Amino acid sequence: MPRLIDVMTNGPVDTAALSVRLTSAAPGATLDDHAVWLADLRRFAGAMHLAALGIVALIGGAGVMAVIFAVRSGLAIHRHVVELLHLMGATDRYVARQFESHVIGLTLRGGMTGLLLAAGTLGGIGHAAAGLHASLLPDLATSPWWAVAALAAVPLAACLLAALTARWTVLRTLESMP
């Protein structure tokens, strides 16, 4: 039967020297240094962090494209109304604000729904991981305040991005209209 010895120290350990001493004292003995697999795990977590940021960027880009498409479609559908507003003296900024407010309302509703679903998912993960001694799963209840604030700020950031995109799209499109 193999035997396992768990050595705990307060300071750094020279693992190479310890391995040599172990093999001389007990031929066939191996030394498992957790720093090796921990470094691999940290490297993997960093790669997953970058992948998550890439996914967020892709989702943000898709959101911007969806807002551009929706605003251009709305402008095409309501072209006669926009032309009539211009004849009555409405400025491009006034028309852009109407589209912005509509897009902000839709984005805020969708963002708050997504926030509630994300909080529910994180709460469920925290509940599922309750009692585990070595969980790699996030727990919303023990997250730092800035992480919870960042999660809560996502719908607001989406609203700002959607409003800026809508404004830019409307103003650019209205420049090309007679």
Side-chain angles (χ1 to χ4, degrees), residues 38-113:
L38 185 59
D40 289 342
L41 184 62
R42 285 185 178 164
R43 217 173 11 261
F44 177 72
M48 296 311 307
H49 183 74
L50 287 176
L53 289 176
I55 290 170
V56 167
L58 284 173
I59 290 171
V64 166
M65 296 305 291
V67 169
I68 290 171
F69 176 73
V71 168
R72 285 187 182 219
S73 296
L75 280 170
I77 291 169
H78 300 292
R79 181 179 183 96
H80 299 300
V81 174
V82 171
E83 288 174 353
L84 182 61
L85 285 170
H86 274 129
L87 285 174
M88 293 171 42
T91 64
D92 288 350
R93 290 178 59 198
Y94 173 79
V95 175
R97 269 187 300 223
Q98 304 313 306
F99 280 92
E100 279 180 51
S101 64
H102 182 67
V103 165
I104 286 173
L106 292 174
T107 305
L108 192 58
R109 245 182 293 152
M112 293 309 289
T113 302

